[in-house]
Every structure is written in C-alpha cells, then in structure tokens.
Amino acid sequence: MKRLAQVGVLASGKGTNLQALAEACRAPGFPARIALVISNVPDSGALERARTLGLSAAVIDHRAFDSRAKFEQALVDRLKVAGVEWVCLAGFMRVLGPTFLTAFLGRVLNIHPSLLPSFPGLHAVQQAFDRGVKVTGCTVHLVEEEVDAGPIIAQEAVPVFESDGPESLAARVHEAEHRIFPLALRWVAEGRVRFEGRVARIRAAENGES
Ligand code: GRF
C-alpha cells in the first residue's frame, strides 16, 4: 500500500471545505490523510465538523500571542509534531507570513472564491457580482507571501446567471470549491505538480484519470 501524504487543515469558518477534503481522503485510493485540523477560532463550525468527522483537532487562538511570528511558530510546531507535510488553508482568515511559509515552503495550498488573478482579497464573490462579470469561479493556488498571488494549481469556472444574487452565486462557487480543492490536493500528494516559474504543470495520471 502506498504511503499517504500527511495533511494539516487550517480553518476559521464554517468548514465546508474541510468536510470536502475529509470526505475525499476517506475514498479508497486517495493519496492523502488529514493528520490534524487547527482553527484559530475556538467556536468555529470547522472545529465542530472536525470532531464529528473524528479528526484530530486543536485550537490555536491568534489572540493569545503578542506577535504574528509567535502565532505562526505555534502553528508550525503543532503541525510538525503531527507529521504534517502539506497544509490546506480552508477558509483560514489569517494572513501567513515568513515564519509559517518558510517552514512549509511550497507546501501550502489555499482555496479562493474567484478566478484569480481577478478579485483577490476579501468578499471575492461580492466583488465579482458587483463588477458584473458573466463568469466567475474558484482557484486553488500555492500560498506565497503576496496574498492570493501564488501559482495557480486548479480552477473551476462558475457562470453568473441573470437570476443570481450574491448568495446564490456564492453557493455555486462553494460547490465548485468542494470539487477542486480535493482534486488539487490529490495532484500534489501524487507528486504530479511541478512549477515552471509561476506556472504549475500537472502531469497526467498513470491510469488516465484526471
Ligand atoms: C471559502 O469560500 C473559501 O474560498 C474562502 O473561505 C471560504 C471558506 O468556507 N477562502 P468554508 O469555511 O470552507 O465553508
């Protein structure tokens, strides 16, 4: 049996992406497992879901630290003890800096609710809706220090319908997130992603699957 990539998930919010990743990891043949979930928000839905899913979970509240570096070092220490190799940011509402990103260099994935490089930052679905785009979507990218700017690994387009409001659009973007985040995790865990400068190249699967 192949060794599974050990994944840490950081989440601050509802945790629907955490759930999608956890469900993917349960499927036979999926090349990764979630070793630890950390939330910076003690009463987050993500933590609740982690417990329900039977995952190891911890709270590391950023408010308990007097600097970002110390908070990040606490995250790193906990993840390393759990043997984590890849980190998925699943709605983690803290910007990560050099302390964290150096410790997991090239191994941090983020999900963002727009087709980057359009609409980086907060409220991306609302931004896209207000701008009147006819197609938006979501992106999984490698995390670098510049927010929402790292190499793009996977994207899914979501059409904007005339009947849409921000909520209905956000719901469909969310559904797309739940498809591409596990897909991107599978690709990196299988070692199929390499980078040519800022461009991620995905090698085809040996069995012809995506
Ligand atoms: C998602 O929309 C994701 O794109 C953004 O934060 C949200 C997290 O949602 N980074 P959930 O907590 O996974 O439901």
Side-chain angles (χ1 to χ4, degrees):
M1 215 173 92
K2 272 200 183 155
R3 199 188 145 273
L4 300 178
Q6 304 294 310
V7 178
V9 180
L10 306 190
S12 311
K14 286 204 295 256
T16 65
N17 279 286
L18 162 66
Q19 176 125 14
L21 291 169
E23 283 170 9
C25 286
R26 280 182 180 165
F30 196 85
R33 71 176 279 271
I34 297 177
L36 181 62
V37 177
I38 301 179
S39 182
N40 62 315
V41 179
D43 59 355
S44 64
L47 270 184
E48 184 68 40
R49 277 178 207 263
R51 293 190 189 110
T52 307
L53 288 157
L55 299 169
S56 300
V59 180
I60 300 184
D61 189 337
H62 59 280
R63 293 170 299 186
F65 299 86
D66 59 19
S67 74
R68 185 168 81 171
K70 286 182 192 159
F71 169 58
E72 291 185 9
Q73 192 59 54
L75 294 173
V76 169
D77 292 347
R78 213 46 191 267
L79 291 164
K80 294 279 183 190
V81 166
V84 165
E85 300 157 305
W86 290 93
V87 179
C88 290
L89 305 184
F92 187 62
M93 300 309 286
R94 308 300 300 173
V95 173
L96 293 171
T99 305
F100 193 91
L101 296 177
T102 307
F104 287 100
L105 192 64
R107 286 174 169 262
V108 184
L109 307 181
N110 182 47
I111 180 86
H112 182 78
S114 76
L115 291 177
L116 290 171
S118 291
F119 311 119
L122 291 175
H123 312 301
V125 175
Q126 186 75 49
Q127 288 186 55
F129 185 80
D130 291 344
R131 183 62 185 79
V133 297
K134 305 305 179 201
V135 178
T136 185
C138 51
T139 302
V140 179
H141 65 92
L142 207 61
V143 177
E144 293 182 344
E145 272 210 63
E146 193 186 338
V147 173
D148 297 333
I152 290 167
I153 296 172
Q155 291 187 304
E156 184 171 325
V158 174
V160 183
F161 301 131
E162 284 301 323
S163 56
D164 266 328
E167 290 79 21
S168 60
L169 180 58
R172 289 205 312 289
V173 169
H174 240 107
E175 283 171 21
E177 292 182 351
H178 301 158
R179 286 187 287 271
I180 66 166
F181 211 176
L183 191 63
L185 177 59
R186 183 149 66 78
W187 290 344
V188 297
E190 288 174 347
R192 288 165 53 194
V193 183
R194 71 185 167 80
F195 296 93
E196 285 174 10
R198 302 195 60 68
V199 177
R201 301 270 177 219
I202 319 297
R203 186 163 43 80
E206 274 144 32
N207 61 8
E209 284 175 6
S210 58

